[in-house]
């Protein structure tokens, strides 16, 4: 059975946050507009920039963001100058980590700047996806 995706369908990532206020401040600094913020009875944030949306929910209880290493990103940038300005602003941000040993690498693909996750981020993402898929399979 073949399924076609229609032009009116959208996928919106729903990452987790341990600090909703800091998440809002960070994404607003990057130029996102807050379209919804709710802290009770549960955390739910919605942000938009251009045609891209991000929604956030609360991180699981007991999650230590200092050791949490899940996730990864592939960022494609058409405007190199804007990318450099945003990267510079992030480096100056007071919450920027001092340890850059696990930083992502930058390269160019077909004229676009691409940020690739570090090997540690990639391995962590694969492990998280495998665990989530195993949990879903056992729940069926």
């Amino acid at each position: 059975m073949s399924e076609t995706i229609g032009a009116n369908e959208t996928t919106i990532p729903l990452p987790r946050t341990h600090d909703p206020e800091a998440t809002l401040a960070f994404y607003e600094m990057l130029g996102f507009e807050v379209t919804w913020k709710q802290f009770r009875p549960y955390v739910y944030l919605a942000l938009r920039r251009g045609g891209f949306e991000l929604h956030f929910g609360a991180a699981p209880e007991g999650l230590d963001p200092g050791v949490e290493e899940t996730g990864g990103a592939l960022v494609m940038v058409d405007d190199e100058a804007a990318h450099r300005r945003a990267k510079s602003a992030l480096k100056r941000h007071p919450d920027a980590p001092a340890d850059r040993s696990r930083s992502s690498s930058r390269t160019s693909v077909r004229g676009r700047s691409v940020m690739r996750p570090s090997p540690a981020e990639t391995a962590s993402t694969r492990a998280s996806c495998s665990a989530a898929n195993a949990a879903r399979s056992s729940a069926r």
Side-chain angles (χ1 to χ4, degrees):
M1 175 168 91
S2 176
E3 190 173 321
T4 303
I5 297 174
N8 63 341
E9 296 177 315
T10 302
T11 299
I12 300 173
L14 182 62
R16 302 300 182 170
T17 178
H18 71 282
D19 187 342
E21 293 292 343
T23 299
L24 289 170
F26 175 78
Y27 282 95
E28 285 179 301
M29 178 187 69
L30 294 177
F32 280 78
E33 166 196 5
V34 177
T35 59
W36 183 265
K37 67 179 172 181
Q38 173 180 310
F39 301 103
R40 289 196 174 117
Y42 54 88
V43 172
Y44 198 90
L45 310 174
L47 301 109
R48 177 183 329 151
R49 181 170 183 197
F52 188 73
E53 290 192 42
L54 281 173
H55 291 193
F56 288 86
E61 265 188 60
L63 175 74
D64 180 354
V67 297
E68 179 62 24
E69 296 182 343
T70 60
L74 172 65
V75 179
M76 300 184 82
V77 180
D78 287 326
D79 184 346
E80 289 283 332
H83 171 72
R84 283 190 208 100
R85 284 192 305 273
K87 187 175 176 183
S88 177
L90 288 175
K91 286 181 181 178
R92 291 188 310 268
H93 193 274
D95 294 330
D99 176 19
R100 302 261 189 236
S101 62
R102 296 182 300 180
S103 66
S104 303
S105 62
R106 181 174 171 269
T107 189
S108 181
V109 176
R110 287 186 236 140
R112 292 181 157 187
S113 178
V114 177
M115 297 297 293
R116 290 183 300 184
S118 70
E121 292 166 331
T122 302
S124 178
T125 300
R126 284 189 188 127
S128 296
C129 290
S130 295
N133 287 337
R136 267 186 250 140
S137 294
S138 66
R140 291 182 190 161

